[in-house]
Amino acid sequence: MAETTQNTPKPSRWSLKLGGDKPLWVIFIIFAFLSVFVVYSSTTSSLYGSTSAVHHLSRLVKQLAYVFVGVGAVWVVHKFDYQTYHRLAKAAYYLSLFLMVLTMFVGVRKFDAQRWLEIPIIHITFQPSDLLKVTTVLMLSLQLARRQKLVDRQTLFPGWRMWRDNSVKAFEIFKSHTLPVFGPIMLSCGIIAPENLSTALLMGGTSVILLIIGRVSWRDIGRFLLLAVVGGGLLIGAMELKSATTDEGNRTGTWGKRINAFFHPEKVREEDPDYFYQIDQATIAIAMGEIGGRGAGKSVQRHMLPKAESDYAFAFLVEEYGFLGAVLVLVLYLWIFYRAIVIFNRCGTAFPCLLVLGLAFLITSQGLLNMMVATGMMFQTGLALPLISQGGSSELFTSIAMGMILGVSRQIEEKTLSTPKGESMLETNKKR
C-alpha cells in the first residue's frame, strides 16, 4: 500500500515558540529573576514595622506584575516583522513627543522633577521619556537607512561656505537631510533635558553612535555637536531667565551641584554634609558585599540606603551578591551588545541593522552608567538599572526594545528579512 504524505502546516506566527536569538532570551530571563529578588529584598526596609505582612507581599506581587508585563511585551513585539516598525516609526515618534509635551503641562511631579504622566481612571503613572528613547532610535534608524545611497557622496549638514556660495542648494540639503536626520535628536534631547538631563545625554550619546554606524561624515557630526552645544547653552539660559522672572525653580542648580560634588566633593561636603548620605550608604553597601556577598535577603544597608530598589539597585545587589554578582550583571549588559553585533553582522540591511545596534547600545550604556554612579565613578543621575530597577515604564519600554532586537534576529533565522536595493550597509562598507 502506497504511503501518503501530507505537507506539514506552517506554525502560527502567534505560537508560544520563542523565536530569535536564544542567548538574548537567556539574558532577559536572568534579568527577570534578578529584578524580582533585588526589588523584593531591597524594599523590606520600608515595610517592616510600618505595614502588615500582606502589604509586604503586595510589593512582591507588584514587581511580579511588572516582570510579567515585560515578558509579555517581549514575546508580542518579537513576533512582529521589522517592516512594521518601519511603517510605524514616524507615528510612534510623534506620539512620544506629544506625551512629553503633555507631561510638561499636566505631568505628575515627584522628587523635584516633573517626569511622570498619569493615565486617567486607572491612575497609573509612567515616564514618557522611556518611550521617547526607544522611538528616537527608531526614527533615527529610519532616516539614516533611507540615506545610505548618498551618505558617501553628499553632506547631510551644509557648512557656512555652502550657505555663502550656494544658499539655494544649502537650503535644499538642510530641508531634505539636516532636519529629518538631526532634527529628531535635537528635539528629543531638548524636550527631555529640562527635567531629566541624564536621559537627554544618554539619548544624545546613543544618537551620535548611530550617526557613526550610519556612516555620516565626521565633518557633519562635528557640525551637529557644535550646534548641540550652542542649543544646550541657549536652553540653560532660557531656564535661568524663566526662573528669575517667574520665581519658579529649575534643575540647573541640581545639575551644577551634582557636577561640583563629583569634582570637588570636599567643598560640597563642607557646605551640605547631608548631600552625600546616599552616596556614602551606597559605598558602604558595595564594600560590605566583598567577593560572594552577604546572601540573598541578608542586606543590612537596605535599612539606610534610599532608593535601593531603583537608582541604587546595583549597590544593593553588590551587597547581597558580592563582586561575583556585580561581574554577572556587567557581563549580561555587555553580552546584550555583543549579541546585537552578531545580529548586525548577519543582517545586512540598514534599517534593522541600525535599529538593533541603537537599542542594544541604549540598554547597555544605561546599565553601565547606573553602575558607574553607584560605584562613585560618575556624578549622580536619575537613570534606572535596566531590567532590574523597580519601575513599570522602564521595565515595559526596555522590554519592547529587547523585543524589537529579538524580532529582527527571528527574521534572520526564518530568512524573511527584506533587502531593499541600495540600503545594505555591509555591502557598501566592503566596497570602501
Side-chain angles (χ1 to χ4, degrees):
M1 184 176 179
E3 184 177 341
T4 59
T5 60
Q6 293 181 342
N7 293 328
T8 304
K10 185 178 180 181
S12 170
R13 167 64 58 83
W14 299 103
S15 67
L16 294 178
K17 180 182 176 182
L18 302 179
D21 192 78
K22 298 303 184 289
L24 274 180
W25 277 110
V26 172
I27 294 169
F28 181 76
I29 292 170
I30 293 174
F31 271 129
F33 280 105
L34 282 175
S35 175
V36 174
F37 293 155
V38 170
V39 172
Y40 177 68
S41 182
S42 65
T43 54
T44 56
S45 62
S46 62
L47 299 171
Y48 286 153
S50 61
T51 54
S52 65
V54 174
H55 206 151
H56 181 56
L57 183 62
S58 69
R59 189 67 66 92
L60 172 62
V61 173
K62 186 177 181 180
Q63 185 61 24
L64 285 171
Y66 288 154
V67 172
F68 179 79
V69 169
V71 172
V74 171
W75 181 81
V76 170
V77 173
H78 103 285
K79 292 291 185 179
F80 287 99
D81 293 344
Y82 89 88
Q83 290 88 347
T84 303
Y85 318 142
H86 194 282
R87 291 192 297 269
L88 298 178
K90 288 186 177 181
Y93 177 71
Y94 293 138
L95 174 63
S96 303
L97 286 179
F98 171 74
L99 294 176
M100 283 299 304
V101 173
L102 202 60
T103 304
M104 294 172 61
F105 293 98
V106 298
V108 177
R109 195 169 189 84
K110 299 179 184 179
F111 312 117
D112 197 33
Q114 191 166 315
R115 304 173 183 172
W116 292 264
L117 196 62
E118 184 177 283
I119 302 175
I121 302 175
I122 59 178
H123 302 294
I124 294 177
T125 59
F126 71 101
Q127 291 193 55
S129 59
D130 288 327
L131 173 61
L132 185 58
K133 286 188 297 186
V134 176
T135 57
T136 300
V137 172
L138 192 63
M139 183 70 162
L140 185 55
S141 300
L142 174 67
Q143 298 299 339
L144 289 173
R146 288 178 171 176
R147 290 162 176 82
Q148 288 305 299
K149 286 183 179 180
L150 54 84
V151 73
D152 281 329
R153 61 178 184 268
Q154 179 175 313
T155 181
L156 301 182
F157 203 121
W160 70 271
R161 282 194 179 91
M162 181 178 289
W163 284 102
R164 182 192 63 188
D165 299 337
N166 192 341
S167 60
V168 175
K169 181 180 179 181
F171 180 77
E172 181 61 30
I173 292 175
F174 180 80
K175 182 180 68 172
S176 302
H177 304 301
T178 308
L179 286 180
V181 174
F182 300 98
I185 307 173
M186 295 290 292
L187 196 56
S188 298
C189 294
I191 201 170
I192 288 181
E195 294 293 337
N196 197 343
L197 179 63
S198 54
T199 297
L201 292 175
L202 174 65
M203 241 174 17
T206 301
S207 298
V208 171
I209 294 298
L210 270 179
L211 293 175
I212 295 171
I213 297 170
R215 301 181 305 112
V216 176
S217 70
W218 286 104
R219 182 173 54 188
D220 286 349
I221 293 175
R223 289 169 180 165
F224 164 69
L225 291 177
L226 179 61
L227 178 63
V229 170
V230 173
L234 292 175
L235 177 63
I236 293 174
M239 292 172 64
E240 291 287 358
L241 180 62
K242 179 182 177 182
S243 179
T245 55
T246 62
D247 293 328
E248 292 183 9
N250 62 63
R251 300 280 295 175
T252 56
T254 302
W255 302 345
K257 192 168 186 178
R258 287 178 175 179
I259 295 173
N260 197 31
F262 181 73
F263 289 104
H264 306 287
E266 65 288 339
K267 182 179 179 181
V268 176
R269 197 176 287 274
E270 288 179 5
E271 298 173 352
D272 185 8
D274 294 336
Y275 180 82
F276 286 91
Y277 176 80
Q278 192 173 29
I279 301 171
D280 291 341
Q281 298 305 319
T283 302
I284 294 171
I286 292 172
M288 293 176 69
E290 298 182 343
I291 300 298
R294 300 180 64 88
K298 297 181 181 180
S299 168
V300 174
Q301 283 301 104
R302 66 184 170 197
H303 301 285
M304 281 79 77
L305 178 60
K307 298 185 180 179
E309 74 284 0
S310 53
D311 293 2
Y312 283 85
F314 181 73
F316 176 81
L317 183 146
V318 175
E319 184 192 3
E320 290 205 336
Y321 300 98
F323 175 77
L324 297 178
V327 171
L328 171 64
V329 173
L330 175 62
V331 168
L332 288 175
Y333 283 124
L334 294 177
W335 200 7
I336 289 176
F337 193 64
Y338 170 73
R339 295 311 304 175
I341 294 174
V342 172
I343 296 169
F344 173 91
N345 287 329
R346 296 174 58 195
C347 181
T349 304
F351 176 70
C353 277
L354 290 164
L355 182 64
V356 164
L357 279 187
L359 293 176
F361 182 83
L362 188 67
I363 297 170
T364 299
S365 58
Q366 181 172 332
L368 295 180
L369 288 174
N370 180 281
M371 295 162 70
M372 291 173 66
V373 171
T375 54
M377 297 174 63
M378 184 178 172
F379 54 83
Q380 286 181 292
T381 69
L383 294 173
L385 192 61
L387 301 173
I388 292 182
S389 292
Q390 185 181 41
S393 60
S394 176
E395 177 75 25
L396 173 61
F397 296 121
T398 306
S399 298
I400 288 175
M402 288 287 288
M404 290 181 177
I405 298 171
L406 284 164
V408 173
S409 66
R410 174 188 59 79
Q411 286 190 265
I412 292 173
E413 289 181 353
E414 297 175 354
K415 298 181 180 180
T416 57
L417 275 176
S418 61
T419 53
K421 186 177 180 181
E423 192 180 299
S424 174
M425 295 169 58
L426 299 183
E427 291 178 3
T428 306
N429 284 336
K430 290 176 182 177
K431 294 177 183 178
R432 296 180 71 182

